[in-house]
Amino acid sequence: MFLRFYLFVALLVLTCQAVDAQRANPYGLSIINDVPAFLRTVELDSNKAFVEITDYAPTIALDIKYATTQNVFYTQLYKQPRAYVRLPVAKALAAVQTDLASKGVGLKVYDAYRPYSVTCQMFEMLPDTVYMGLPRQGSRHNRGVALDLTLIDLKTGNELRMPTPFDALVYASHPNFDRLPADVIRNRDLLKATMQAHGFTVDPVEWWHYNYKTNTTFELLDLSFDEIAKTLHRPATKQRSRRR
């Protein structure tokens, strides 16, 4: 009788845990939400490490919109204006920046890694299935391999003219929309061609959104910026300067 009782209790606990997990992610997605689990993936593949973009390309400008209220949600979604990506993404961005600099322009990043819970929060506020990341799928931002960005003039820091502002949910945001001034098309196409040359693909409905092409499976993550900061991989030069 006692054995049956203990088996019943154990089954009840497991059932409750399964229900809680289902409540946390009703779509059945596998999401890493603790630092030790994430670090285990990095031990198996160092390319899965997170880095800060400006550690690899210091001249890339940052304007992290979701760390402010100046965004489509009119809500501050990040506590800090940080731009984290996986290691190979940062290296590719550095190459993009070098190519663009020869033309007097550079990148400005609006968003990079985004915790999965923020994707869910965004969709709750704006449940659009065309432009929003879908909680049932997760976003490449949640995997650390997507960026929202634009071009700036390196001398002035001013943004080059593009088809729309960032996060404009309109048809003109589509990267192939052509009813635009010639200089706007040139700017957009320069960004697209340079990013594509270094392994990125543009989103079909957002001229500013780029995904890094890779055969590696980068897991969905729901780690805060503070948690990511504890795991950062630093370039050798940065590590030496920090030791000094």
Side-chain angles (χ1 to χ4, degrees), residues 137-151:
Q137 297 175 347
S139 165
R140 287 185 177 86
H141 282 288
N142 308 147
R143 300 179 188 274
V145 293
L147 297 127
D148 298 330
L149 43 72
T150 191
L151 293 177

Side-chain angles (χ1 to χ4, degrees), residues 146-203:
L147 297 127
D148 298 330
L149 43 72
T150 191
L151 293 177
I152 61 170
D153 184 303
L154 287 178
K155 288 184 179 178
T156 65
N158 294 332
E159 294 184 9
L160 273 59
R161 289 215 307 160
M162 288 293 181
T164 69
F166 169 61
D167 260 357
L169 311 184
V170 295
Y171 191 63
S173 293
H174 295 208
N176 294 321
F177 184 79
D178 61 2
R179 296 176 61 185
L180 299 164
D183 65 316
V184 171
I185 292 177
R186 280 197 304 271
N187 294 338
R188 184 191 63 191
D189 289 353
L190 172 61
L191 175 61
K192 184 161 57 174
T194 311
M195 293 292 287
Q196 288 176 340
H198 293 282
F200 293 91
T201 58
V202 67
D203 185 89

Side-chain angles (χ1 to χ4, degrees), residues 77-116:
L77 299 168
Y78 300 158
K79 293 181 180 179
Q80 305 158 335
R82 315 302 291 187
Y84 300 128
V85 291
R86 306 283 189 151
L87 178 58
V89 182
K91 290 179 177 179
L93 283 175
V96 170
Q97 186 75 348
T98 297
D99 278 3
L100 291 172
S102 66
K103 302 173 178 66
V105 298
L107 296 174
K108 176 189 276 188
V109 172
Y110 295 132
D111 194 27
Y113 165 71
R114 179 188 307 158
Y116 175 79

